[in-house]
Amino acid sequence: MGDVLAGIHATWEFESDALVIRFERGNRTPKLLSVLRERRVPHEALASVTLTPGKRGTVVLHAVPRPGADPLMEAAAGQLAEHCDPYRLVLPADRETLAEYYRDELRAVLAARRRTSAWDPLDAPGLPHSPSDVLDAPETVDATPADRFLVAPPSGPRSFKAYDGKASFDGHAEVAFRWSWTGASSEKWKAGDQVFQVRDLCGVEWRSPDVLDGHLRLLPRGGEPRASQPDRDPASVVFGLGYGPVHLSLPFAAAVLAAIRTTDRVPARVAAPGAVAERIRHLGELHQAGLVTDEEFSAKKAELLAEL
């Protein structure tokens, strides 16, 4: 457990290797933050931290994530309103001095990490520590894109209702779209309900329901031709007034995106040579016994050898 800084709608806890952000649950808390509940952000996922004046006698601490580090922010693609940004901590203006202190402490930890290629949390232990070492710590920005997601995706929700159908995700391998009687276009009805394998997807396009053409579109691998309009594309669901709200559709999009990236990083399964040799031997026995034709034997043998 580290030091805790409580703000409006959220609390930051400073651990030795991460910033833990916990969100309040209440009528005044933005719904997206209530849904997120808690986020653990490793220091390596942060690009910088700033302190700026806020509205109505407040100041704002802002931890800026590196590009590609957080699936939620990647899916949002800059479309979140300020009050929904999970990396902003709003504090009363009379706590500005305390906010400056924690900003400098966190900047020092980030700077220390960047000075070492193999960073150990013991090199910059906890927050706060040794204030004299970090007074007037300059802001350093690490804009290097992360090669993988460093922040866990939201745990839910796994389904939401769009204008033209219902989207659901099993959390790992499949995304399904079930069309509604009233909202789905004729193109979608002709295509029928859709089930997509995560392994066949390369990305997710989320357009906020707060804009006119809001939608969630799955991007298949291969770049096959598809309808230009989301309402005609069976790989998308469209939002509308009251449908696919941010606090439901964005965490959904982030979870699917994280699953896609995880699938991309899983190496292809390679069969053990001994196991393949045993299966070929057994196939040969079946062939000699006349239970497998010459064509079937050759095709299956080639398939087994391809696994090596």
Side-chain angles (χ1 to χ4, degrees):
M1 299 288 288
D3 272 29
V4 173
L5 181 61
I8 300 172
H9 303 319
T11 298
W12 284 11
E13 180 176 342
F14 302 92
E15 295 186 347
S16 62
D17 60 346
L19 173 65
V20 179
I21 306 173
R22 297 187 177 89
F23 304 101
E24 295 179 0
R25 303 189 70 185
N27 293 333
R28 295 187 177 183
T29 302
K31 290 183 178 180
L32 175 62
L33 305 185
S34 294
V35 167
L36 295 177
R37 296 191 181 184
E38 178 178 311
R39 312 212 77 209
R40 188 176 190 278
V41 185
H43 291 153
E44 63 179 321
L46 294 176
S48 64
V49 58
T50 63
L51 177 65
T52 58
K55 299 177 181 178
R56 301 183 185 91
T58 63
V59 292
V60 180
L61 267 175
H62 189 200
V64 182
R66 290 170 57 196
D70 183 348
L72 184 81
M73 304 308 286
E74 288 298 297
Q79 299 174 76
L80 281 181
E82 273 192 353
H83 69 279
C84 287
D85 186 340
Y87 287 89
R88 296 173 79 249
L89 182 68
V90 181
L91 300 155
D94 60 8
R95 305 188 73 189
E96 182 175 3
T97 300
L98 183 62
E100 288 177 346
Y101 176 71
Y102 280 100
R103 177 203 61 187
D104 291 346
E105 288 282 348
L106 189 50
R107 282 182 178 177
V109 171
L110 298 182
R113 182 189 172 277
R114 289 162 194 153
R115 284 196 299 267
T116 58
S117 57
W119 183 69
D120 185 332
L122 294 178
D123 292 336
L127 289 171
H129 270 288
S130 303
S132 61
D133 294 337
V134 295
L135 289 176
D136 300 321
E139 180 181 7
T140 57
V141 178
D142 182 4
T144 307
D147 63 354
R148 59 188 174 86
F149 287 139
L150 301 170
V151 181
S155 58
R158 290 291 184 258
S159 66
F160 68 90
K161 187 177 181 181
Y163 172 73
D164 58 356
K166 180 180 179 181
S168 58
F169 177 42
D170 67 1
H172 174 65
E174 289 186 351
V175 182
F177 292 160
R178 309 295 181 191
W179 307 125
S180 69
W181 286 99
T182 55
S185 64
S186 59
E187 289 85 355
K188 290 183 177 180
W189 273 113
K190 289 178 182 178
D193 292 341
Q194 300 289 300
V195 177
F196 302 89
Q197 300 299 315
V198 167
R199 65 174 178 270
D200 297 329
L201 303 174
C202 66
V204 175
E205 178 183 272
W206 181 80
R207 292 292 177 268
S208 174
D210 293 338
V211 300
L212 184 62
D213 62 345
H215 64 268
L216 183 144
R217 173 179 276 177
L218 304 177
L219 307 179
R221 298 182 188 277
E224 299 89 347
R226 56 182 182 164
S228 60
Q229 298 298 321
D231 64 338
R232 299 179 180 179
D233 182 2
S236 69
V237 290
V238 298
F239 307 144
L241 185 62
Y243 293 93
V246 171
H247 70 283
L248 299 180
S249 60
L250 179 57
F252 181 100
V256 174
L257 182 59
I260 292 171
R261 297 284 178 86
T262 299
T263 300
D264 288 343
R265 294 179 65 85
V266 174
R269 183 179 177 183
V270 178
V276 171
E278 177 61 25
R279 290 166 67 185
I280 291 176
R281 184 191 65 78
H282 179 64
L283 181 65
E285 293 175 350
L286 295 176
H287 181 235
Q288 290 179 357
L291 300 176
V292 175
T293 66
D294 292 344
E295 292 79 8
E296 290 172 335
F297 173 75
S298 298
K300 187 61 179 178
K301 182 179 178 180
E303 181 181 324
L304 291 171
L305 290 173
E307 295 184 13
L308 293 173

